[in-house]
Amino acid sequence: MAPKSDSAEAIVLNFVNEQNRPLNSQNVADCLQKFNLKKTAVQKALDALADSGKISFKEYGKQKIYLARQDQFKIPNSEELTQMKESNSTLQQNLHEQKKAISQVEEEIRTLQSNLTLQQMREKEARLRKEVKELVDKLEILREGVTLVKPEDRKAIEHIYSEKLSQWRRRKRMFKDLWDTITENSPKDLKEFKEELGIEYDEDVGVNLQSFTDMLPQTRKRPRGR
């Protein structure tokens, strides 16, 4: 009597026949979890199917290996095998061509997606026109010789800038004198000591006093070495 189509035995039998390869109970249980079959139920079904002769099995020590009965399958002759190989080759070629066509379509889609829409192009054009107009207006002002910064304002800014540089220079010198005094007889490695205290030199953060000094007009530059 054939097992009911929704019974554990029927599900297991159908799976074993579809796979048509050596299986143990764990293989079958793992693959049939979607049917909510526990391993014990799978093992029971496999043993029942083997006892009734619906599937074959072999024992290897304590483990049983189950296999679909081969006499239920039609074994193709050499001519049929040749036809099957030719058919498989044709299908593989068709699959390759289909994948190539899909790849080309996907590439076209990516290209189209990377292009701007008409609305986006209009918005970009308007933004660029606005930027060009602003630059043209600024250029016209420069061509007319209009003073953008008043001489007195420029002088005041240069004075403040020069004072800040002087303070920077004084503080560098004060720190150097203090640091030399502290570390004169220190047995510690100076680099490690500096890192331990969290001290950073200008050079450690990519800053150079001279490069800022060079930005001053020639008449206001402090001579090097002072």
Side-chain angles (χ1 to χ4, degrees):
M1 181 177 177
K4 293 182 179 179
S5 60
D6 60 346
S7 68
E9 286 186 30
I11 294 171
V12 172
L13 177 60
N14 185 57
F15 176 76
V16 172
N17 286 335
E18 283 182 349
Q19 294 296 307
N20 192 22
R21 61 184 175 89
L23 300 162
N24 60 33
S25 58
Q26 188 63 57
N27 299 146
V28 180
D30 290 342
C31 294
L32 297 182
Q33 287 182 358
K34 60 184 178 181
F35 294 101
N36 296 319
L37 292 178
K38 304 287 187 182
K39 185 181 178 182
T40 52
V42 170
Q43 184 67 68
K44 184 178 178 181
L46 286 167
D47 290 338
L49 291 168
D51 291 342
S52 63
K54 292 184 174 66
I55 62 174
S56 304
F57 77 96
K58 287 188 177 182
E59 291 190 54
Y60 296 91
K62 294 183 179 180
Q63 189 176 45
K64 288 183 179 180
I65 301 297
Y66 301 90
L67 182 67
R69 288 187 54 161
Q70 298 303 298
D71 57 6
Q72 65 179 308
F73 301 113
K74 179 185 176 183
I75 300 176
N77 55 38
S78 59
E79 184 179 346
E80 289 173 330
L81 282 173
T82 300
Q83 291 176 350
M84 291 170 67
K85 288 180 180 179
E86 291 175 353
S87 176
N88 181 61
S89 178
T90 301
L91 289 172
Q92 289 292 336
Q93 181 63 29
N94 290 339
L95 177 62
H96 175 74
E97 292 174 357
Q98 290 296 324
K99 286 183 176 179
K100 185 177 180 181
I102 290 171
S103 178
Q104 290 174 345
V105 171
E106 289 177 343
E107 181 63 30
E108 290 178 8
I109 290 172
R110 284 193 292 271
T111 301
L112 291 172
Q113 288 176 338
S114 65
N115 292 334
L116 297 176
T117 64
L118 181 60
Q119 179 62 29
Q120 290 172 328
M121 286 191 288
R122 286 173 176 168
E123 292 173 356
K124 187 173 183 179
E125 180 189 16
R127 186 172 64 253
L128 291 173
R129 286 183 180 276
K130 181 181 178 182
E131 291 176 4
V132 169
K133 185 178 184 305
E134 291 174 353
L135 292 172
V136 169
D137 291 344
K138 188 177 291 186
L139 180 61
E140 287 299 322
I141 293 174
L142 294 173
R143 283 175 175 170
E144 291 172 2
V146 176
T147 303
L148 300 179
V149 180
K150 295 179 180 179
E152 56 269 27
D153 292 340
R154 181 186 180 90
K155 186 175 181 180
I157 292 171
E158 287 177 355
H159 177 72
I160 294 171
Y161 184 74
S162 179
E163 282 297 313
K164 297 297 182 185
L165 291 179
S166 297
Q167 292 178 22
W168 184 354
R169 191 176 290 104
R170 281 197 300 271
R171 290 179 183 182
K172 277 176 68 71
R173 187 166 54 250
M174 290 169 60
F175 170 77
K176 185 178 184 307
D177 293 342
L178 182 61
W179 179 255
D180 290 345
T181 301
I182 293 173
T183 60
E184 183 177 3
N185 297 313
S186 175
K188 288 189 174 183
D189 180 272
L190 297 186
K191 183 178 180 181
E192 293 180 358
F193 189 33
K194 178 169 72 80
E195 292 178 353
E196 182 182 335
L197 296 176
I199 296 173
E200 292 181 328
Y201 292 165
D202 293 345
E203 295 76 12
D204 294 334
V205 293
V207 176
N208 182 274
L209 174 60
Q210 188 58 46
S211 64
F212 285 89
T213 303
D214 291 341
M215 294 171 64
L216 282 171
Q218 282 299 127
T219 55
R220 299 190 63 87
K221 283 186 182 178
R222 180 187 179 93
R224 292 176 184 255
R226 287 195 180 183

